[in-house]
Amino acid sequence: METTSLYSYFLAHPIISTDTRNIQAQSLFFALKGDTFNGNAFAAEALEKGASYVVIDEAQYQADDRFLLVPDVLTALQDLARHHRSQLQIPVIGITGTNGKTTTKELIHSVLSQQFETYATRGNLNNHIGVPLSILSIRPQTEMAIIEMGANHVGEIAFLCGIAQPTHGLITNVGKAHLEGFGSFEGVKQAKGELYDYLASRQGTLFLQSDNPFLRGMAATRQIDQVVTYGFSPDNQLTGQLIEASPLLEVRWAENGDQASHTVHTQLTGSYNTENVLAAICIGRFFGLSPEKINRGISGYAPANNRSQLTKTSNNTVIRDYYNANASSMAAALENLRVLKTDNKVIILGDMFELGNESYEEHGKVVAEACSLNASRVLFVGRAFAQHRRTGAEFYDTTEEASEALRKQPVQGALVLLKASRGMAFEKLVELL
């Protein structure tokens, strides 16, 4: 079946399902395959549960005309999204970066929603399946879209840009993450820079944190039609500074040449989030929002996804930042903890995944940095950290072992940083704090 023919089915049934456990009525079910499952085998079940049509790529499962046969289901999904995007005449803001993608996306969404009907990537559906699903979730009434794009190898951002076709974009930062796939930090810069390449080729608009030397250098090598800058130095079109972080952020900002400044109180912790706040403010001003609407959008965003999320328990104040971790985000989290004013700090860190050949060195750096903060207690969890055992800190091979240690010696009255890669399952530790 050709993409244009499949698109007519989509227009009549503009809800996409990929999992029979949560089929929506009158949806199109795409029978995707994985390492351990074949969606074609669940196509009939999807129809029984309410899907109107199913898209399959194995003819033996085609029982009637509700089974739409294509050469490859994943390719069909991606092509359908690409075609749908080509029908949309709206600004699409593409976001990538090593750290801060999701928080920045949510802040921008909260700001732009003050004035426009805005769609943003749900959760972190930012890969070769998630981006097509996000594009296909954009409805006719949508006035703006914000699409998050992730990558763990060179070429992936370029591919996702071909689907999302961003008119505007930004890279939050570049750092050491997914080094197994990228090979090196230079590989990270090359991969993330594919967004700049796309904007340059399509006369797009770039929002640039120009105080970041890596981003500034990457932008300078491309001929991008329009560059709007934000950051901390007065040369930027939008400048800001962190006023308070104890632990929630208060940020002052102003436009270049404007004598008036504005102050916004956020529900975010982590001084590293200041740049993400400024990015959202910059984009809000670019699209004509008033300072009042922008500040309302920023202050109204409350993180609830274990990214820089502050939780007060009956015993402690916990910074829950264990959705993901890499060398760059770990360093930023520790630096933030260094400047926070409190007498009782407890640090609990878990292994960082996908660092490849640099894993040993980067885990060693984190151990040294964390142990230099004069915290009341420092716990390292995971076998990568265990290779750097030293006195003055606690080391546990597993999260279960760390849980047992916290039961035997509870933490009381502390500001606790919980940071680890998602696979370390640090959510198990919150109930013990």
Side-chain angles (χ1 to χ4, degrees):
M1 175 173 288
E2 296 293 327
T3 299
T4 51
S5 299
L6 185 58
Y7 192 60
S8 64
Y9 286 92
F10 169 74
L11 291 177
H13 305 277
I15 299 174
I16 304 297
S17 295
T18 60
D19 189 335
T20 53
R21 292 170 295 185
N22 48 32
I23 291 290
Q24 295 190 58
Q26 298 186 348
S27 61
L28 275 181
F29 174 77
F30 279 74
L32 296 171
K33 296 176 182 175
D35 294 335
T36 59
F37 65 91
N38 181 353
N40 289 275
F42 299 94
E45 180 185 343
L47 290 170
E48 291 171 5
K49 289 185 172 180
S52 294
Y53 293 91
V54 293
V55 182
I56 61 172
D57 53 17
E58 295 183 14
Q60 65 264 36
Y61 292 97
Q62 190 174 28
D64 55 47
D65 59 5
R66 294 175 300 168
F67 294 76
L68 309 177
L69 186 63
V70 298
D72 181 83
V73 170
L74 176 57
T75 301
L77 177 70
Q78 293 165 341
D79 289 345
L80 183 66
R82 193 177 290 108
H83 182 74
H84 181 54
R85 171 65 186 96
S86 69
Q87 310 304 305
L88 302 170
Q89 304 300 314
I90 62 171
V92 172
I93 303 167
I95 298 179
T96 191
T98 300
N99 304 311
K101 294 185 295 295
T102 300
T103 298
T104 303
K105 173 204 67 182
E106 295 293 345
L107 284 166
I108 296 169
H109 183 214
S110 186
V111 167
L112 293 180
S113 294
Q114 303 299 315
Q115 187 161 311
F116 302 102
E117 185 70 32
T118 308
Y119 175 83
T121 298
R122 306 280 191 249
N124 72 325
L125 291 173
N126 62 14
N127 64 5
H128 63 295
I129 296 173
V131 168
L133 291 174
S134 296
I135 293 296
L136 290 168
S137 297
I138 299 175
R139 298 290 173 253
Q141 67 270 24
T142 301
E143 297 175 288
M144 289 192 177
I146 308 148
I147 302 297
E148 180 180 334
M149 296 181 286
N152 55 23
H153 60 265
V154 172
E156 194 167 3
I157 295 297
F159 178 77
L160 297 178
C161 281
I163 296 173
Q165 302 167 39
T167 55
H168 304 70
L170 77 151
I171 301 175
T172 55
N173 49 54
V174 287
K176 292 183 177 181
H178 302 298
L179 295 180
E180 284 180 339
F182 293 129
S184 66
F185 179 55
E186 288 303 314
V188 175
K189 290 166 61 178
Q190 178 184 345
K192 302 300 184 184
E194 290 164 6
L195 174 58
Y196 287 3
D197 293 332
Y198 185 88
L199 293 173
S201 69
R202 301 299 179 95
Q203 293 77 53
T205 297
L206 168 65
F207 301 104
L208 175 67
Q209 206 292 61
S210 71
D211 294 330
N212 184 309
F214 299 120
L215 297 181
R216 188 173 63 247
M218 290 162 62
T221 63
R222 279 98 171 169
Q223 304 236 324
I224 300 174
D225 188 54
Q226 184 173 14
V227 178
V228 182
T229 60
Y230 65 94
F232 305 102
S233 65
D235 295 336
N236 290 290
Q237 290 163 264
L238 190 289
T239 62
Q241 62 185 119
L242 179 61
I243 302 302
E244 189 63 64
S246 59
L248 298 181
L249 307 186
E250 180 181 334
V251 178
R252 181 179 297 139
W253 61 274
E255 292 176 277
N256 196 344
D258 190 346
Q259 297 300 314
S261 65
H262 312 275
T263 300
V264 60
H265 300 267
T266 81
Q267 300 183 60
L268 288 164
T269 186
S271 55
Y272 47 85
N273 274 312
T274 308
E275 294 181 32
N276 303 331
V277 169
L278 293 180
I281 293 171
C282 178
I283 290 172
R285 288 301 289 154
F286 178 84
F287 285 107
L289 272 71
S290 68
E292 292 74 23
K293 286 182 178 178
I294 289 171
N295 281 3
R296 189 161 64 238
I298 297 292
S299 62
Y301 170 63
N305 47 20
N306 300 319
R307 294 178 172 92
S308 304
Q309 183 178 345
L310 196 70
T311 299
K312 292 193 175 181
T313 70
S314 57
N315 298 315
N316 302 285
T317 299
V318 183
I319 300 174
R320 298 166 61 177
D321 198 9
Y322 47 82
Y323 184 85
N324 212 342
N326 53 57
S328 304
S329 66
M330 196 72 85
L334 290 173
E335 178 57 30
N336 176 64
L337 197 65
R338 181 188 296 278
V339 301
L340 289 179
K341 300 182 177 100
T342 182
D343 294 330
N344 187 9
K345 300 177 184 178
V346 172
I347 303 171
I348 307 177
L349 306 179
D351 278 356
M352 304 174 287
F353 297 163
E354 297 184 57
L355 290 181
N357 294 332
E358 297 194 28
S359 178
Y360 181 84
E361 179 184 355
E362 294 300 336
H363 280 87
K365 289 179 182 177
V366 171
V367 169
E369 182 64 23
C371 289
S372 75
L373 295 185
N374 297 318
S376 305
R377 194 172 171 190
V378 183
L379 294 79
F380 297 101
V381 186
R383 292 181 174 86
F385 275 130
Q387 299 177 70
H388 301 276
R389 292 182 187 274
R390 60 162 69 185
T391 58
E394 303 170 44
F395 289 83
Y396 304 97
D397 285 347
T398 66
T399 302
E400 288 69 27
E401 290 179 17
S403 298
E404 186 59 29
L406 290 171
R407 288 189 188 95
K408 291 180 178 177
Q409 187 182 351
V411 175
Q412 300 281 346
L415 176 64
V416 184
L417 170 64
L418 280 178
K419 181 140 185 86
S421 284
R422 183 169 36 176
M424 294 301 293
F426 262 30
E427 62 274 8
K428 297 176 182 177
L429 302 181
V430 177
E431 62 190 42
L432 302 173
L433 297 169

